[in-house]
Amino acid sequence: MSSNAEGAAARTDSQFLGFDPDALRTKYRLERDKRLREDGNEQYTQVVGQFKHYIDDPYLEEIIEREPLSDEIDVVVIGGGFGGLLAGARMREAGIKQIRMLEKAGNFGGTWYWNRYPGASCDIESYVYLPLLEELGYKPKKKYIDGLDILDYSKQIARKYNLYDDVCFQTEVTEVRWDDDLERWIISTNRGDKMLARFVVMSNGPLNRPKLPGIGGIDSFKGHTFHTSRWDYEYTGGSAQGGLTGLKDKRIGIIGTGATAVQCVPHLGEGAKQLFVFQRTPSSIDERNDRPTDSEWFESLEPGWHQKRMDNFNILVSGGIQEEDLVSDGWTEIIRNLLVMVKNEDEPDLSPAALYAKMELADFQKMEQIRKRVENLVKNESSAESLKPYYRQFCKRPCFHDEYLPTFNRSNVTLVDTAGQGIDRITENGIVANGQEIELDCIVFATGFEVGTEYSRRCGYELIGRNGLSLTEKWADGASTFHGMHSRGFPNCFMMGHTQTGFTANYPHALNEQAKHITYIVEHCMNGNHQVVEAGEEAEEEWVKTIISLARMAERFLADCTPGYYNNEGKPSERSLQNANYGAGSPAFFKLLDEWREEGSFEGLEIS
Ligand code: NDP
């Protein structure tokens, strides 16, 4: 095609689409480049040493006193969030009696125990997000359920499956060590416990370790500070529903504009005398459109509806095609756009490359709509421009909120856009950004959680397997597992998480599939009196190779993305490819696990 003809085609394309794909591609690249930095994950400060108080538990009602334990248990589950609860529930269903849950918090709930900031709620539809809905016969109040209701629901799961029977709360694991002679794990805790376990399930949570910005002066600020996952209601007043009356004469700064900040900023804006929102990268914010559950509809659902709905959502958000979009919200909309485009196509049998190109257009279309929404909701033109996200929707975690953007129309709220650079430093009196100091009474760190750092650092303890080899040593160059749940040299130990497994935005769905799978293996070992189950060497090597080669398919997409925890802070590497999830998608991964169990030969595992 001549360049004139190409130009004409591009113009026609732009006219038809309402935007210029080439111009957007260039803009996205420029915005990404502004944010790229050499230090990647190292830019953050760990919550250790002088910063350890940032993870103290502000929600404890009483300190539990108990004697150290040195007994033997069939299954010890580390972590009382949805992963641990699902493992416990599925094992109870299988008739396993001796299950001990270990949890550092004061109760079950995991992420929903810690994240009680004002406005905390889930923006994945509750009818697919909450696990075990049919088992519990529970009807969520709304399409998008509040955090405190999820916390309460977590406790209901624990009660239903008798998981309170032998739980150790306020107990932090300090080491998990394999004893080859005993063929048992020895679990040490900060309570002086040294318990033995035949099987260990580790469900530490993917976002359990808060992180702070690694900037100068962070320890010099004389005012008040806290991390959003340990909200200080004593200081702010109010509750998770808002009403932060303690802030009426306070100047507050919040650092970060991720999914957490998006939910709490409207309440801070309402409560504070002055609020300064320090932004490095804007989130993409779509409408939430929450509504109460229609009881008649909910009660009409046929048995088996829950799994069907979860699968339908998961297939759609993983880029698959379904006849019907049952959830039909912002998460699944890209696929709806794509279907419309493909339906309009003369040539419906598209090649993978053509489909990829269509996906990009559908994404541009979605993000144009998100940017238009900012313009419609934010009156100040310069703030509106700053709040527009220029990247593909799944480069960062999409957000859904109806009050966040209008908060910037309030006279007491200022957006401090740092144009991708982040704040300069913290001083005794406040925050310096764009070279200017802003005096503050309180700084709220909405700076998220460690994701790409060492696994054991995020767990808070070391796992020591056969011959004294630690997991950190074994994984020095990247994770090595079979199915993401077993690692050779660490027998009878199961990991629940996202590394080398199928990942879905609806995370409890993935945890449920893992819980079913682990239970199947533990049940088999217990019924057959098999003492040890371990990943086979060859099977593990093959699995790691599969993970790496599949991850290469997403390499280009991630490299083009603005930095964040989805792309190892803009530093994709061989190691991050190896630590990736199963690149063929979670629907394929769940199917693979189902078929593996159906086949029944435990291929890839050594059982003795
Ligand atoms: P995120 O990691 O998403 O956000 C951290 C924020 O801090 C980012 O905006 C980041 O900017 C900013 N930041 C970090 N360092 C600096 C700095 N030096 N200067 C200025 N800004 C800085 O953490 P969140 O707690 O918001 O969310 C974590 C995850 O929790 C979400 O991705 C989501 O998976 C989950 N979540 C889920 C919810 C739900 O509804 N189910 C609700 C809330 C959270 P930058 O983007 O530039 O890195």
Side-chain angles (χ1 to χ4, degrees):
M1 210 193 282
S2 74
S3 60
N4 277 353
E6 272 171 13
R11 269 194 305 281
T12 322
D13 238 12
S14 308
Q15 275 160 5
F16 169 69
L17 292 165
F19 56 84
D20 177 353
D22 285 334
L24 278 180
R25 246 173 247 127
T26 307
K27 172 81 174 161
Y28 282 17
R29 206 168 308 121
L30 288 173
E31 288 293 322
R32 177 204 61 180
D33 291 350
K34 273 202 267 184
R35 291 168 172 81
L36 283 177
R37 42 192 291 164
E38 262 314 298
D39 49 3
N41 278 311
E42 298 310 312
Q43 68 179 283
Y44 298 106
T45 292
Q46 277 197 71
V47 282
V48 293
Q50 61 174 318
F51 301 107
K52 197 166 184 303
H53 66 275
Y54 279 100
I55 52 171
D56 287 348
D57 186 344
Y59 315 120
L60 282 186
E61 280 153 21
E62 53 166 347
I63 303 288
I64 298 168
E65 301 293 344
R66 67 168 175 83
E67 291 300 314
L69 295 163
S70 56
D71 52 351
E72 182 172 332
I73 294 287
D74 285 336
V75 184
V76 163
V77 178
I78 304 174
F82 276 143
L85 286 166
L86 281 158
R90 295 303 180 200
M91 288 198 205
R92 284 281 196 247
E93 283 173 348
I96 297 169
K97 293 198 172 64
Q98 268 197 345
I99 302 173
R100 175 171 295 152
M101 314 276 298
L102 302 181
E103 169 56 64
K104 67 178 176 230
N107 214 316
F108 288 106
T111 201
W112 300 103
Y113 177 91
W114 297 111
N115 289 282
R116 304 187 195 188
Y117 55 81
S121 73
C122 185
D123 46 34
I124 305 274
E125 189 199 67
S126 56
Y127 321 125
V128 296
Y129 181 80
L130 295 178
L132 303 166
L133 277 180
E134 286 190 73
E135 287 84 344
L136 265 80
Y138 180 86
K139 182 177 74 176
K141 283 184 211 151
K142 302 189 289 181
K143 188 168 169 81
Y144 302 103
I145 186 170
D146 292 342
L148 285 187
D149 287 335
I150 308 178
L151 178 58
D152 181 62
Y153 183 67
S154 305
K155 296 176 191 169
Q156 292 191 37
I157 295 175
R159 278 196 289 274
K160 158 104 183 164
Y161 292 95
N162 301 325
L163 298 172
Y164 277 103
D165 286 357
D166 189 9
V167 63
C168 297
F169 289 131
Q170 299 175 26
T171 298
E172 259 189 272
V173 173
T174 50
E175 185 189 87
V176 179
R177 182 180 285 271
W178 177 251
D179 186 312
D180 232 343
D181 298 328
L182 296 175
E183 292 183 328
R184 293 288 180 270
W185 287 99
I186 304 170
I187 299 158
S188 310
T189 75
N190 65 342
R191 295 303 193 111
D193 304 312
K194 276 223 178 311
M195 56 189 88
L196 297 181
R198 187 167 163 192
F199 299 99
V200 171
V201 178
M202 303 203 300
S203 181
N204 306 289
L207 298 164
N208 98 85
R209 202 146 182 93
K211 61 180 162 56
L212 300 170
I215 34 165
I218 187 164
D219 49 349
S220 67
F221 182 59
K222 293 268 192 300
H224 196 70
T225 61
F226 56 88
H227 188 273
T228 47
S229 65
R230 307 290 190 276
W231 195 270
D232 188 350
Y233 283 108
E234 256 182 52
Y235 181 84
T236 65
S239 67
Q241 274 85 38
L244 308 180
T245 49
L247 304 182
K248 62 180 184 305
D249 56 352
K250 299 279 193 287
R251 290 166 63 88
I252 307 295
I254 181 166
I255 306 175
T257 50
T260 297
V262 166
Q263 293 186 333
C264 66
V265 156
H267 294 284
L268 286 170
E270 216 175 275
K273 180 176 167 208
Q274 282 289 325
L275 174 68
F276 298 87
V277 181
F278 294 88
Q279 173 182 280
R280 190 163 68 178
T281 310
S283 281
S284 92
I285 320 224
D286 207 347
E287 67 171 6
R288 188 162 178 76
N289 197 12
D290 199 4
R291 46 197 178 273
T293 301
D294 174 347
S295 293
E296 209 177 308
W297 163 75
F298 195 81
E299 267 125 45
S300 75
L301 294 165
E302 300 281 339
W305 71 269
H306 192 215
Q307 187 68 43
K308 221 170 117 194
R309 197 173 179 93
M310 288 192 295
D311 288 339
N312 178 272
F313 177 77
N314 193 36
I315 291 169
L316 285 171
V317 291
S318 305
I321 308 280
Q322 290 278 279
E323 255 176 37
E324 202 184 349
D325 178 356
L326 294 172
V327 170
S328 189
D329 66 0
W331 286 98
T332 56
E333 196 177 351
I334 286 196
I335 306 300
R336 277 205 301 281
N337 283 351
L338 181 72
L339 285 180
V340 171
M341 280 192 188
V342 174
K343 268 187 196 152
N344 292 341
E345 194 67 35
D346 297 336
E347 180 95 39
D349 291 328
L350 291 172
S351 67
L355 196 63
Y356 184 87
K358 288 276 163 209
M359 282 293 264
E360 188 193 34
L361 285 185
D363 198 315
F364 282 150
Q365 201 171 45
K366 176 76 223 174
M367 292 304 279
E368 280 290 284
Q369 183 195 329
I370 296 278
R371 290 186 282 266
K372 193 82 203 148
R373 186 166 183 264
V374 180
E375 260 171 43
N376 292 341
L377 292 175
V378 179
K379 291 189 190 129
N380 179 299
E381 267 180 43
S382 139
S383 298
E385 201 45 47
S386 294
L387 286 161
K388 288 183 190 169
Y390 284 97
Y391 46 80
R392 288 188 60 174
Q393 190 181 30
F394 289 102
C395 282
K396 280 195 174 279
R397 208 250 188 205
C399 299
F400 304 87
H401 211 281
D402 298 331
E403 289 86 36
Y404 176 75
L405 291 168
T407 299
F408 294 96
N409 296 330
R410 298 181 70 104
S411 57
N412 66 330
V413 177
T414 308
L415 176 71
V416 185
D417 180 21
T418 64
Q421 302 308 299
I423 59 172
D424 301 342
R425 61 183 190 280
I426 294 181
T427 64
E428 264 184 39
N429 304 317
I431 292 178
V432 181
N434 305 323
Q436 224 189 340
E437 182 174 30
I438 295 175
E439 286 192 16
L440 299 165
D441 296 303
C442 172
I443 298 174
V444 180
F445 291 107
T447 41
F449 304 85
E450 291 193 23
V451 176
T453 54
E454 291 295 340
Y455 182 79
S456 47
R457 167 171 148 178
R458 281 178 282 130
C459 294
Y461 59 86
E462 188 58 89
L463 183 73
I464 299 168
R466 283 193 203 281
N467 308 317
L469 183 76
S470 72
L471 193 71
T472 306
E473 286 162 338
K474 181 173 174 194
W475 287 14
D477 296 326
S480 180
T481 73
F482 177 56
H483 288 166
M485 286 175 267
H486 323 256
S487 191
R488 186 169 174 78
F490 303 87
N492 293 10
C493 176
F494 303 90
M495 295 153 192
M496 299 184 80
H498 54 87
T499 305
Q500 299 190 350
T501 66
F503 175 79
T504 161
N506 186 16
Y507 199 56
H509 182 177
L511 294 171
N512 188 30
E513 298 300 324
Q514 293 169 27
K516 287 192 284 190
H517 193 74
I518 293 168
T519 301
Y520 172 80
I521 297 166
V522 170
E523 193 185 5
H524 172 76
C525 291
M526 291 194 57
N527 291 344
N529 204 21
H530 306 299
Q531 290 305 309
V532 176
V533 54
E534 184 171 5
E537 193 171 349
E538 219 176 290
E540 186 167 310
E541 272 173 27
E542 278 309 307
W543 187 253
V544 173
K545 274 190 210 151
T546 304
I547 293 295
I548 295 173
S549 74
L550 289 173
R552 292 210 189 281
M553 297 190 318
E555 224 177 347
R556 190 180 122 203
F557 174 85
L558 289 175
D560 286 345
C561 273
T562 188
Y565 73 79
Y566 280 20
N567 68 348
N568 200 37
E569 297 295 337
K571 291 191 81 172
S573 61
E574 286 301 308
R575 196 167 183 279
S576 63
L577 283 180
Q578 188 167 331
N579 289 344
N581 16 83
Y582 182 71
S586 54
F589 180 73
F590 301 157
K591 186 160 173 273
L592 180 149
L593 293 186
D594 281 347
E595 287 171 357
W596 186 91
R597 294 197 298 273
E598 243 161 63
E599 196 268 333
S601 71
F602 294 82
E603 203 186 331
L605 294 181
E606 292 171 6
I607 299 181
S608 56

